[in-house]
Amino acid sequence: MKQFTIEPLLGSDWQLGDGISIAFTNSALWMAITAVLVWVFVAGGMKRQLVPGRWQMAVETMTGFIDDLLEANVGKAGRKYVPYIFTLFMFILFGNLLGLVPVGLIPGLHAFTFTSHFTATGVLAIMSFSIVLIVGFWKHGPHFFSLFWPANTPWFLAAPISLIELVSFMVRPFSLALRLFVAMMAGHVLLKVLASFVIAGGGAGLGLGVLVGVPSFVLMVAISALEILVAGIQAYVFALLTSLYINDAENLH
Amino acid sequence: MPQIEQLSETLTSQVFWLLVFFGLTFVLVGLGMVPKILGTVELRDNQIAGDLAAAQAARDAATGEEEAWRTRENANRAAAQALIGEAKAKAAAASAARLAAAQGKLDTQLAEAEAAIAAARSSAMAEIEGVAADAARDIVARVAGANIKAATAKAAVKKVMAHG
């Protein structure tokens, strides 16, 4: 579990006001690396050529992907959320993928996946949820509460359903944060467990090494590929669900 | 699980730095770059659409031009055809008239020639009768020693010739 441990790297006594520690930790470092890499990636596509090169094509594919996502889920009004959803998607995607890069091969370095911490995913989820609330009440005022009241339903059914709707609505930030955190952590724990099998099997002699170590290693390779897929899927799911929630606020039924 | 064990000591740091770096990314990349990239894509899409529309317009214009050219060509052809027909009719009429004139001339020439032939024949016939009558008189004078009148000889010759 050491890979999830947060260690202060700089300014362990930095504070905001009284007792609010803002030490620059390894988690913060990887957030910074993610931010820089996202910036580098997108900046590489800023040549704005009429006939795009490979890099520009890649960046335009990503922005077009988010643009299409919002167009499909929110409609024309979704255009203004492209910067936020794009940043969210790229930040989570790069964070997830960076945690899978085997920098641990270099002695003294340790990869860290900040998306495997619910403190980080929680902030992202609360941001998305806040945008939904702000947009919803800004556009519709108190009428936004009709989100919980199913249309064309008799009142004796609508009352319990609205309660369920309210609960499911309030659960959204938690499900959003926990889904990403659990998926990333589970993958890393699984790889860790299998890696410990490889080490223990190898240490227990040739017979057990071949019997346990080799299959575990093969499984690790396969699960590493799966983890890369999960890294993309979780970033996509986060962006997709955020855009769906924004759709509720934009286009209230 | 460090996520829970370290929660109280790292929460503020995590939230702070995530907000800092996500905020920086959002401002620099999301607000600064993404609209420009989307603008580039839109510009390109518009240019492609414009080029396609221009090509379509040029094609339509060319089709229209060809249609106009075809109608003009058809009109020209019809006019030429009419001109040819007229000229043909005129030429036919002229040649018919000339043929008729030539025919008339030929007919008169033929008639004249026939008349001349007939006249020549009748005169030749008369001469032959004369010669035959003279010959008959000579023959009669030599054979029979009789001197017959010219008129008698002539009558006799005529009778024989009429019998053929």
Side-chain angles (χ1 to χ4, degrees), chain A residues 29-30 33 37 97-113:
Chain A
L29 174 68
W30 284 92
I33 294 172
L37 282 184
L97 289 175
L98 277 174
L100 292 169
V101 176
V103 289
L105 291 175
I106 303 165
L109 292 185
H110 294 287
F112 184 88
T113 318

Side-chain angles (χ1 to χ4, degrees), chain A:
Chain A
M1 291 298 172
K2 182 166 185 310
Q3 58 174 323
F4 301 117
T5 311
I6 296 173
E7 289 158 352
L9 299 178
L10 279 175
S12 44
D13 53 348
W14 289 355
Q15 289 192 347
L16 267 186
D18 188 33
I20 303 172
S21 158
I22 52 162
F24 192 84
T25 60
N26 54 346
S27 175
L29 174 68
W30 284 92
M31 290 172 194
I33 294 172
T34 300
V36 169
L37 282 184
V38 170
W39 181 80
V40 166
F41 173 69
V42 180
M46 286 288 289
K47 289 192 203 110
R48 315 195 67 182
Q49 287 168 331
L50 188 61
V51 179
R54 285 181 203 185
W55 196 308
Q56 192 185 342
M57 198 76 202
V59 176
E60 283 175 2
T61 306
M62 298 307 272
T63 57
F65 171 64
I66 299 298
D67 196 26
D68 291 346
L69 178 79
L70 281 164
E71 172 95 45
N73 290 318
V74 186
K76 281 283 167 218
R79 209 79 207 281
K80 56 179 172 287
Y81 302 103
V82 169
Y84 174 69
I85 302 287
F86 180 77
T87 312
L88 192 64
F89 176 72
M90 294 304 281
F91 203 75
I92 295 172
L93 180 68
F94 275 52
N96 290 350
L97 289 175
L98 277 174
L100 292 169
V101 176
V103 289
L105 291 175
I106 303 165
L109 292 185
H110 294 287
F112 184 88
T113 318
F114 66 83
T115 45
S116 67
H117 276 255
F118 57 78
T119 41
T121 61
V123 172
L124 296 173
I126 288 168
M127 276 198 289
S128 292
F129 192 65
S130 307
I131 287 174
V132 171
L133 287 181
I134 291 167
V135 169
F137 283 112
W138 187 279
K139 276 197 77 163
H140 306 288
H143 188 61
F144 186 54
F145 285 112
S146 74
L147 183 66
F148 309 125
W149 194 264
N152 305 323
T153 313
W155 67 269
F156 59 89
L157 276 179
I161 288 173
S162 67
L163 197 68
I164 295 167
E165 288 279 333
L166 177 68
V167 169
S168 82
F169 184 79
M170 297 314 285
V171 156
R172 280 174 181 183
F174 298 97
S175 69
L176 213 50
L178 290 178
R179 183 183 297 110
L180 177 58
F181 146 66
V182 164
M184 294 324 293
M185 184 176 154
H188 284 270
V189 168
L190 187 57
L191 285 176
K192 166 108 179 173
V193 168
L194 287 171
S196 74
F197 283 175
V198 175
I199 304 291
L206 190 65
L208 268 181
V210 170
L211 200 69
V212 177
V214 172
S216 297
F217 185 74
V218 170
L219 202 57
M220 271 187 80
V221 172
I223 287 175
S224 293
L226 185 72
E227 280 309 304
I228 294 172
L229 185 71
V230 167
I233 287 174
Q234 288 303 325
Y236 173 64
V237 165
F238 206 107
L240 176 71
L241 286 176
T242 301
S243 70
L244 284 176
Y245 298 159
I246 286 174
N247 179 44
D248 282 345
E250 266 297 331
N251 311 313
L252 192 62
H253 62 74

